[in-house]
Amino acid sequence: DVKVTQSSRYLVKRTGEKVFLECVQDMDHENMFWYRQDPGLGLRLIYFSYDVKMKEKGDIPEGYSVSREKKERFSLILESASTNQTSMYLCASSLLGEIYGYTFGSGTRLTVV
Amino acid sequence: KQEVTQIPAALSVPEGENLVLNCSFTDSAIYNLQWFRQDPGKGLTSLLLIQSSQREQTSGRLNASLDKSSGRSTLYIAASQPGDSATYLCAVFGNAGNMLTFGGGTRLMVKP
């Protein structure tokens, strides 16, 4: 089975800190995604990547950046964390192509205080 | 822009009932549709993936149908159990932007 692993289940950070959320997949998927999920707003795409060193903005990229130096790892970076970035962050991956589904990680609940 | 709607937003049923969750989408130009389950505070678990050329997919007590022309999908759960309690999300993968668009989810509670 494809496995998408997010390094932390829960994270508490202070306002202004630089925060790294890590995601690793073990099935050689080309595509990787970062979503955030908030009550009433559903899942919103922050960034995605379809290859190493490639990145594309999603619907809400402001305040975030990403890094994909290796195919299996996709990092989400909050340059200066703010309280409005308190959320559940979900990483996903998929093979390249329209017929493939997404596999999600177990999520990271980030609280910024 | 693709919009995905799930009705009802919440559903409570007694154990053993058969039930149907609904998903509708505005743009029928999709490649596939995926149903997910999410337990509180957890990530998403993929349940079923239906390609645009397919009409339905089955896995155990779950059956998902797709009517692309009318922009609708249903998830049928047979003989519901308390362990089925979760939020169910549908998502469509369309050719506008090649990204997954999610519905708001249906929160299901199955009472013993």
Side-chain angles (χ1 to χ4, degrees):
Chain A
D1 275 354
V2 177
K3 197 166 183 182
V4 177
T5 302
Q6 293 183 232
S7 53
S8 304
R9 284 299 316 278
Y10 300 96
L11 214 50
V12 180
K13 296 293 181 180
R14 296 195 181 277
T15 301
E17 273 192 80
K18 189 169 186 176
V19 181
F20 292 85
L21 302 184
E22 305 288 347
C23 176
V24 177
Q25 50 93 5
D26 65 359
M27 283 300 286
D28 208 33
H29 283 182
E30 292 87 1
N31 296 330
M32 295 189 75
F33 310 85
W34 275 106
Y35 288 85
R36 65 177 281 178
Q37 185 178 30
D38 301 286
L41 296 176
L43 276 93
R44 293 178 291 169
L45 182 64
I46 305 171
Y47 268 98
F48 68 99
S49 168
Y50 52 88
D51 201 352
V52 175
K53 296 192 186 295
M54 305 300 291
K55 61 183 179 183
E56 296 284 344
K57 293 180 180 179
D59 298 321
I60 51 164
E62 296 79 18
Y64 303 94
S65 62
V66 290
S67 172
R68 193 159 181 206
E69 295 297 317
K70 294 184 178 182
K71 190 175 185 180
E72 67 270 19
R73 185 180 296 270
F74 192 36
S75 303
L76 180 69
I77 304 159
L78 288 65
E79 294 290 342
S80 178
S82 64
T83 55
N84 64 12
Q85 292 179 309
T86 291
S87 186
M88 169 68 99
Y89 289 87
L90 293 161
C91 176
S93 72
S94 74
L95 287 166
L96 195 64
E98 304 85 24
I99 67 170
Y100 301 104
Y102 285 29
T103 300
F104 278 81
S106 55
T108 296
R109 168 70 64 182
L110 173 67
T111 302
V112 183
V113 297
Chain B
K1 183 182 175 184
Q2 178 76 270
E3 291 183 6
V4 181
T5 304
Q6 291 186 246
I7 294 172
L11 183 63
S12 181
V13 300
E15 181 177 4
E17 269 203 12
N18 302 323
L19 58 101
V20 174
L21 307 182
N22 296 293
C23 173
S24 61
F25 45 95
T26 54
D27 185 348
S28 62
I30 65 168
Y31 290 117
N32 62 56
L33 183 146
Q34 201 166 358
W35 281 95
F36 295 90
R37 169 188 171 135
Q38 186 176 31
D39 293 293
K42 302 284 180 65
L44 276 64
T45 299
S46 181
L47 298 173
L48 290 163
L49 172 67
I50 311 178
Q51 302 299 332
S52 62
S53 57
Q54 297 174 322
R55 298 288 294 213
E56 64 179 330
Q57 282 285 338
T58 297
S59 175
R61 294 183 293 109
L62 305 179
N63 176 277
S65 68
L66 175 64
D67 184 343
K68 202 174 84 159
S69 61
S70 67
R72 296 186 183 195
S73 176
T74 62
L75 179 66
Y76 175 83
I77 302 177
S80 58
Q81 303 170 358
D84 294 330
S85 298
T87 296
Y88 291 81
L89 294 150
C90 78
V92 297
F93 186 82
N95 55 15
N98 283 336
M99 285 184 283
L100 213 56
T101 303
F102 283 86
T106 294
R107 192 171 66 252
L108 173 67
M109 170 78 74
V110 181
K111 297 181 177 179

PDB file of all heavy atoms in Angstrom, chain A residues 78-95:
ATOM      1  N   LEU A  78       6.166  27.639   6.705  1.00  0.00           N
ATOM      2  CA  LEU A  78       5.523  28.868   7.132  1.00  0.00           C
ATOM      3  C   LEU A  78       6.649  29.802   7.556  1.00  0.00           C
ATOM      4  O   LEU A  78       7.308  29.565   8.578  1.00  0.00           O
ATOM      5  CB  LEU A  78       4.568  28.614   8.306  1.00  0.00           C
ATOM      6  CG  LEU A  78       3.263  27.870   8.024  1.00  0.00           C
ATOM      7  CD1 LEU A  78       3.470  26.434   7.580  1.00  0.00           C
ATOM      8  CD2 LEU A  78       2.353  27.955   9.240  1.00  0.00           C
ATOM      9  N   GLU A  79       6.913  30.804   6.745  1.00  0.00           N
ATOM     10  CA  GLU A  79       8.086  31.650   6.972  1.00  0.00           C
ATOM     11  C   GLU A  79       8.010  32.390   8.312  1.00  0.00           C
ATOM     12  O   GLU A  79       9.009  32.536   8.997  1.00  0.00           O
ATOM     13  CB  GLU A  79       8.222  32.656   5.833  1.00  0.00           C
ATOM     14  CG  GLU A  79       8.530  32.026   4.485  1.00  0.00           C
ATOM     15  CD  GLU A  79       9.943  31.450   4.399  1.00  0.00           C
ATOM     16  OE1 GLU A  79      10.808  31.825   5.234  1.00  0.00           O
ATOM     17  OE2 GLU A  79      10.209  30.625   3.499  1.00  0.00           O
ATOM     18  N   SER A  80       6.836  32.858   8.657  1.00  0.00           N
ATOM     19  CA  SER A  80       6.623  33.565   9.922  1.00  0.00           C
ATOM     20  C   SER A  80       5.201  33.245  10.371  1.00  0.00           C
ATOM     21  O   SER A  80       4.239  33.876   9.934  1.00  0.00           O
ATOM     22  CB  SER A  80       6.816  35.061   9.720  1.00  0.00           C
ATOM     23  OG  SER A  80       6.558  35.772  10.923  1.00  0.00           O
ATOM     24  N   ALA A  81       5.098  32.237  11.219  1.00  0.00           N
ATOM     25  CA  ALA A  81       3.778  31.704  11.570  1.00  0.00           C
ATOM     26  C   ALA A  81       2.886  32.770  12.202  1.00  0.00           C
ATOM     27  O   ALA A  81       3.338  33.595  13.014  1.00  0.00           O
ATOM     28  CB  ALA A  81       3.943  30.529  12.511  1.00  0.00           C
ATOM     29  N   SER A  82       1.627  32.719  11.835  1.00  0.00           N
ATOM     30  CA  SER A  82       0.631  33.617  12.417  1.00  0.00           C
ATOM     31  C   SER A  82      -0.541  32.795  12.935  1.00  0.00           C
ATOM     32  O   SER A  82      -0.740  31.639  12.531  1.00  0.00           O
ATOM     33  CB  SER A  82       0.143  34.631  11.382  1.00  0.00           C
ATOM     34  OG  SER A  82      -0.529  33.970  10.328  1.00  0.00           O
ATOM     35  N   THR A  83      -1.318  33.394  13.833  1.00  0.00           N
ATOM     36  CA  THR A  83      -2.414  32.655  14.467  1.00  0.00           C
ATOM     37  C   THR A  83      -3.453  32.193  13.451  1.00  0.00           C
ATOM     38  O   THR A  83      -4.107  31.164  13.656  1.00  0.00           O
ATOM     39  CB  THR A  83      -3.090  33.502  15.556  1.00  0.00           C
ATOM     40  OG1 THR A  83      -3.508  34.747  14.988  1.00  0.00           O
ATOM     41  CG2 THR A  83      -2.126  33.778  16.714  1.00  0.00           C
ATOM     42  N   ASN A  84      -3.614  32.917  12.347  1.00  0.00           N
ATOM     43  CA  ASN A  84      -4.596  32.494  11.340  1.00  0.00           C
ATOM     44  C   ASN A  84      -4.108  31.309  10.503  1.00  0.00           C
ATOM     45  O   ASN A  84      -4.819  30.846   9.602  1.00  0.00           O
ATOM     46  CB  ASN A  84      -5.039  33.657  10.453  1.00  0.00           C
ATOM     47  CG  ASN A  84      -3.906  34.234   9.628  1.00  0.00           C
ATOM     48  OD1 ASN A  84      -2.825  33.657   9.527  1.00  0.00           O
ATOM     49  ND2 ASN A  84      -4.135  35.379   9.020  1.00  0.00           N
ATOM     50  N   GLN A  85      -2.916  30.833  10.797  1.00  0.00           N
ATOM     51  CA  GLN A  85      -2.427  29.621  10.154  1.00  0.00           C
ATOM     52  C   GLN A  85      -2.628  28.390  11.040  1.00  0.00           C
ATOM     53  O   GLN A  85      -2.199  27.280  10.685  1.00  0.00           O
ATOM     54  CB  GLN A  85      -0.954  29.769   9.764  1.00  0.00           C
ATOM     55  CG  GLN A  85      -0.763  30.808   8.650  1.00  0.00           C
ATOM     56  CD  GLN A  85       0.677  31.000   8.262  1.00  0.00           C
ATOM     57  OE1 GLN A  85       1.535  31.229   9.135  1.00  0.00           O
ATOM     58  NE2 GLN A  85       0.967  30.936   6.967  1.00  0.00           N
ATOM     59  N   THR A  86      -3.268  28.581  12.167  1.00  0.00           N
ATOM     60  CA  THR A  86      -3.692  27.445  12.986  1.00  0.00           C
ATOM     61  C   THR A  86      -4.711  26.639  12.188  1.00  0.00           C
ATOM     62  O   THR A  86      -5.740  27.165  11.754  1.00  0.00           O
ATOM     63  CB  THR A  86      -4.324  27.930  14.311  1.00  0.00           C
ATOM     64  OG1 THR A  86      -3.309  28.514  15.114  1.00  0.00           O
ATOM     65  CG2 THR A  86      -4.966  26.780  15.056  1.00  0.00           C
ATOM     66  N   SER A  87      -4.412  25.362  11.964  1.00  0.00           N
ATOM     67  CA  SER A  87      -5.252  24.568  11.084  1.00  0.00           C
ATOM     68  C   SER A  87      -4.781  23.118  11.092  1.00  0.00           C
ATOM     69  O   SER A  87      -3.759  22.769  11.675  1.00  0.00           O
ATOM     70  CB  SER A  87      -5.172  25.125   9.656  1.00  0.00           C
ATOM     71  OG  SER A  87      -6.074  24.479   8.779  1.00  0.00           O
ATOM     72  N   MET A  88      -5.558  22.274  10.390  1.00  0.00           N
ATOM     73  CA  MET A  88      -5.130  20.911  10.079  1.00  0.00           C
ATOM     74  C   MET A  88      -4.497  20.956   8.695  1.00  0.00           C
ATOM     75  O   MET A  88      -5.112  21.445   7.735  1.00  0.00           O
ATOM     76  CB  MET A  88      -6.331  19.973  10.085  1.00  0.00           C
ATOM     77  CG  MET A  88      -6.038  18.588   9.521  1.00  0.00           C
ATOM     78  SD  MET A  88      -4.935  17.612  10.560  1.00  0.00           S
ATOM     79  CE  MET A  88      -6.147  16.600  11.403  1.00  0.00           C
ATOM     80  N   TYR A  89      -3.273  20.437   8.600  1.00  0.00           N
ATOM     81  CA  TYR A  89      -2.572  20.412   7.325  1.00  0.00           C
ATOM     82  C   TYR A  89      -2.481  18.972   6.834  1.00  0.00           C
ATOM     83  O   TYR A  89      -2.067  18.073   7.559  1.00  0.00           O
ATOM     84  CB  TYR A  89      -1.178  21.027   7.462  1.00  0.00           C
ATOM     85  CG  TYR A  89      -1.242  22.513   7.664  1.00  0.00           C
ATOM     86  CD1 TYR A  89      -1.377  23.051   8.945  1.00  0.00           C
ATOM     87  CD2 TYR A  89      -1.215  23.384   6.585  1.00  0.00           C
ATOM     88  CE1 TYR A  89      -1.478  24.424   9.132  1.00  0.00           C
ATOM     89  CE2 TYR A  89      -1.307  24.749   6.755  1.00  0.00           C
ATOM     90  CZ  TYR A  89      -1.447  25.262   8.033  1.00  0.00           C
ATOM     91  OH  TYR A  89      -1.541  26.622   8.214  1.00  0.00           O
ATOM     92  N   LEU A  90      -2.875  18.781   5.590  1.00  0.00           N
ATOM     93  CA  LEU A  90      -2.907  17.443   4.997  1.00  0.00           C
ATOM     94  C   LEU A  90      -2.037  17.394   3.757  1.00  0.00           C
ATOM     95  O   LEU A  90      -2.138  18.249   2.879  1.00  0.00           O
ATOM     96  CB  LEU A  90      -4.347  17.073   4.621  1.00  0.00           C
ATOM     97  CG  LEU A  90      -5.291  16.889   5.802  1.00  0.00           C
ATOM     98  CD1 LEU A  90      -6.737  17.000   5.361  1.00  0.00           C
ATOM     99  CD2 LEU A  90      -5.056  15.532   6.448  1.00  0.00           C
ATOM    100  N   CYS A  91      -1.204  16.375   3.694  1.00  0.00           N
ATOM    101  CA  CYS A  91      -0.355  16.137   2.539  1.00  0.00           C
ATOM    102  C   CYS A  91      -0.949  14.988   1.732  1.00  0.00           C
ATOM    103  O   CYS A  91      -1.546  14.064   2.311  1.00  0.00           O
ATOM    104  CB  CYS A  91       1.051  15.784   3.008  1.00  0.00           C
ATOM    105  SG  CYS A  91       2.201  15.343   1.700  1.00  0.00           S
ATOM    106  N   ALA A  92      -0.805  15.035   0.428  1.00  0.00           N
ATOM    107  CA  ALA A  92      -1.303  13.963  -0.430  1.00  0.00           C
ATOM    108  C   ALA A  92      -0.329  13.741  -1.573  1.00  0.00           C
ATOM    109  O   ALA A  92       0.486  14.612  -1.900  1.00  0.00           O
ATOM    110  CB  ALA A  92      -2.690  14.302  -0.983  1.00  0.00           C
ATOM    111  N   SER A  93      -0.426  12.572  -2.186  1.00  0.00           N
ATOM    112  CA  SER A  93       0.396  12.287  -3.359  1.00  0.00           C
ATOM    113  C   SER A  93      -0.413  11.483  -4.361  1.00  0.00           C
ATOM    114  O   SER A  93      -1.430  10.858  -4.012  1.00  0.00           O
ATOM    115  CB  SER A  93       1.668  11.539  -2.973  1.00  0.00           C
ATOM    116  OG  SER A  93       1.382  10.200  -2.592  1.00  0.00           O
ATOM    117  N   SER A  94       0.042  11.505  -5.617  1.00  0.00           N
ATOM    118  CA  SER A  94      -0.598  10.697  -6.652  1.00  0.00           C
ATOM    119  C   SER A  94       0.391  10.479  -7.785  1.00  0.00           C
ATOM    120  O   SER A  94       1.375  11.215  -7.935  1.00  0.00           O
ATOM    121  CB  SER A  94      -1.865  11.383  -7.191  1.00  0.00           C
ATOM    122  OG  SER A  94      -1.525  12.482  -8.023  1.00  0.00           O
ATOM    123  N   LEU A  95       0.098   9.453  -8.579  1.00  0.00           N
ATOM    124  CA  LEU A  95       0.851   9.261  -9.811  1.00  0.00           C
ATOM    125  C   LEU A  95       0.435  10.319 -10.818  1.00  0.00           C
ATOM    126  O   LEU A  95      -0.667  10.873 -10.735  1.00  0.00           O
ATOM    127  CB  LEU A  95       0.586   7.865 -10.376  1.00  0.00           C
ATOM    128  CG  LEU A  95       1.249   6.704  -9.621  1.00  0.00           C
ATOM    129  CD1 LEU A  95       0.635   5.385 -10.052  1.00  0.00           C
ATOM    130  CD2 LEU A  95       2.747   6.701  -9.869  1.00  0.00           C
TER     131      LEU A  95
END
